[in-house]
Amino acid sequence: MRDWLRMLGAGCLGFFVMCGVGGVAQSAAGAKAAPHKAVAKAAAKEPMVAATPPMGWNSWNFFAGKVTDKDIRDTADLLVSTGMRDAGYVYVNIDDTWEGDRDAQGRIQSNSKFPDMKALADYVHSKGLKLGIYSSPGAKTCARFEASLGHEEQDAQTYADWGVDYLKYDLCSYRTVMTAQAPDDIPAQYKLMREAYEKMHQAILKTGRPMVYSLCQYGWDSVWEWGPSVGGNLWRTTGDISANFDRMSVIGRGQAGLAKFAAPGHWNDPDMLEVGNGKLTLDENRTHMTLWAILAAPLIAGNNLTQMTPEVGGVLMNKDVIAIDQDVLGRQGDRIFAQGPVEIWAKPLSGGRKALAIFNFGETASEMRRISLHLKEAGFLGHAIAHDVWAAKDLGPISDDTKFSVPRHGVVLLVVR
Ligand code: GAL
């Protein structure tokens, strides 16, 4: 069952023929960042949620279709006892497979794995956490459970009544509506898709309850250009991540060029974290966390907290890395240099500082030989003082000639001022 569900969740259902673009954001070079005027106005009226990239936990990456009420309660307890809540991970998001049937009035019910959603929301809130839920604009979710088509306002109101604070809205079977209504007309299909996301946006607004609105449609139609115009606080830029270094790094590196579309309230989402899942090594987990922090990506952990090792906890809760992700400037970083497996990415931080990450995506350690640090491209003309974040060490002055040894699949992360 779980494998079947995982397969369904692997980004795209079989009938999603368009979900194949490598699952990675296409270059945004030349794309217009034109904010929608109507939306800018609407946004001004809406309460600001996600002023910094949302942080929390989601059930899919580890539990997938097996998630239960007990898993959510255990996770809530552990977010508190491990210190994750206090490090910023406040949203507890139930992904697909919580949905039951509709009652005679058409009101969505949770299924037997979630006996009382309101009680669960109360429990999560009692821990100082917030609750997230999942649906689709189609008739069925990606795992083929009941979804919101034709019930948008009713569902949004039900979520609000339960006390939901965050909705992930996953395109899934809405694709069949798009192809049925506009066969062979991709622009018309995309218009229907945008309208479906706007419909749920309006439904959420109508409830009067602030909810983070997370768009999940795998980056189609350059969602970063129109995500804010349908109320998206974050939008997936890719197909699904999985718990292996290649998939994670392909997705992360594929975000180059999207920085200009991120801003407070509106974030590019390269998918949830796999830190602590699969067989990712310490260096790989650090690379994953660093890349997501440089990208100002939502930090939605996806591991099983009942089995979290101190090492994994140390990666997820590194305060300096989280501070880079959550920096108040709200600027996403970008790649400033690439040579083979070595890439240097920089993210502007408040106070004129910059985060500088030197990645080694290669299979052997890199001594950086003749690779300069490219401090000018990172915004430093004169001298620069560095702190090594993962080593928790002040390095003092550095120059373009300072060389680092970067392990296989590893990273050196600096805060430079
Ligand atoms: C996928 C989505 C995953 C997960 C899954 C659930 O489409 O990308 O993150 O939500 O559906 O079925």
Side-chain angles (χ1 to χ4, degrees):
M1 171 79 164
R2 174 150 166 217
D3 286 343
W4 175 75
L5 288 168
R6 270 204 175 274
M7 209 172 68
L8 284 178
C12 326
L13 293 167
F15 56 79
F16 283 172
V17 283
M18 294 148 71
C19 197
V21 270
V24 173
Q26 304 299 291
S27 163
K32 292 182 275 2
H36 208 277
K37 274 187 203 138
V39 182
K41 251 204 216 153
K45 275 189 269 152
E46 291 174 29
M48 170 66 115
V49 291
T52 59
M55 290 180 67
W57 178 92
N58 172 292
S59 58
W60 188 256
N61 282 357
F62 183 83
F63 292 99
K66 284 191 174 157
V67 64
T68 64
D69 175 284
K70 182 175 185 312
D71 295 325
I72 299 299
R73 286 171 191 258
D74 288 350
T75 300
D77 294 348
L78 283 155
L79 285 168
V80 177
S81 62
T82 57
M84 281 185 70
R85 178 196 64 186
D86 293 345
Y89 295 87
V90 292
Y91 288 98
V92 186
N93 296 348
I94 308 169
D95 207 278
D96 204 353
T97 79
W98 64 266
E99 309 87 346
D101 295 330
R102 294 185 181 276
D103 68 11
Q105 284 71 48
R107 199 173 145 104
I108 186 86
Q109 312 290 303
S110 49
N111 61 37
S112 57
K113 297 190 297 153
F114 291 90
D116 186 340
M117 207 52 110
K118 173 86 176 76
L120 179 57
D122 289 347
Y123 185 78
V124 167
H125 290 149
S126 76
K127 301 273 161 181
L129 297 161
K130 292 169 185 274
L131 186 72
I133 213 162
Y134 169 98
S135 190
S136 164
K140 295 287 171 199
T141 66
C142 290
R144 299 187 196 277
F145 285 70
E146 185 67 18
S148 296
L149 184 64
H151 294 272
E152 294 81 1
E153 284 196 6
Q154 204 176 16
D155 284 0
Q157 191 55 52
T158 301
Y159 306 151
D161 294 346
W162 284 340
V164 165
D165 307 292
Y166 184 122
L167 173 67
K168 173 173 167 185
Y169 208 44
D170 194 349
L171 190 66
C172 300
S173 69
Y174 193 72
R175 169 84 179 117
T176 53
V177 175
M178 289 153 55
T179 46
Q181 286 191 19
D184 305 321
D185 186 346
I186 301 287
Q189 291 179 16
Y190 282 161
K191 186 163 175 285
L192 287 166
M193 175 175 70
R194 292 195 295 270
E195 286 165 359
Y197 278 94
E198 173 60 6
K199 193 171 203 172
M200 185 49 99
H201 171 219
Q202 291 305 327
I204 293 171
L205 288 181
K206 201 169 168 200
T207 69
R209 184 175 176 88
M211 287 184 214
V212 172
Y213 188 31
S214 161
L215 316 186
C216 179
Q217 42 76 282
Y218 338 113
W220 290 4
D221 192 27
S222 305
V223 61
W224 41 86
E225 292 183 17
W226 53 269
S229 77
V230 296
N233 299 115
L234 60 157
W235 45 82
R236 279 270 298 277
T237 54
T238 80
D240 284 19
I241 197 167
S242 52
N244 68 72
F245 184 77
D246 287 349
R247 181 66 184 146
M248 179 280 293
S249 52
V250 161
I251 287 180
R253 295 163 92 177
Q255 305 304 298
L258 296 186
K260 59 178 174 261
F261 301 103
H266 310 290
W267 308 102
N268 290 303
D269 173 14
D271 207 356
M272 304 168 296
L273 295 169
E274 291 282 14
V275 172
N277 283 342
K279 295 196 167 77
L280 294 175
T281 64
L282 176 60
D283 283 324
E284 292 172 341
N285 279 326
R286 284 180 171 175
T287 293
H288 186 3
M289 188 74 186
T290 302
L291 195 41
W292 264 233
I294 291 281
L295 293 170
L299 297 179
I300 308 292
N303 56 327
N304 179 358
L305 298 187
T306 67
Q307 296 168 359
M308 184 162 74
T309 61
E311 186 176 282
V312 166
V315 173
L316 286 171
M317 286 185 274
N318 185 298
K319 286 196 166 46
D320 294 337
V321 181
I322 291 174
I324 291 169
D325 179 82
Q326 297 286 302
D327 187 84
V328 289
L329 275 190
R331 300 270 307 274
Q332 178 172 331
D334 218 329
R335 182 163 52 206
I336 58 168
F337 172 82
Q339 184 172 300
V342 175
E343 295 189 10
I344 303 179
W345 289 61
K347 178 186 198 282
L349 300 175
S350 50
R353 299 163 307 136
K354 297 270 161 49
L356 200 65
I358 309 146
F359 294 101
N360 173 12
F361 294 104
E363 296 306 316
T364 53
S366 166
E367 298 304 328
M368 286 185 75
R369 303 229 160 85
R370 281 177 292 278
I371 295 177
S372 128
L373 269 188
H374 289 75
L375 289 171
K376 192 167 147 222
E377 288 81 348
F380 292 93
L381 297 174
H383 77 186
I385 312 278
H387 177 77
D388 183 328
V389 172
W390 289 113
K393 205 170 130 195
D394 286 330
L395 303 181
I398 56 165
S399 73
D400 265 351
D401 298 329
T402 309
K403 298 283 180 259
F404 291 91
S405 164
V406 193
R408 165 188 183 269
H409 293 184
V411 65
V412 170
L413 174 60
L414 308 175
V415 171
V416 186
R417 61 185 165 85

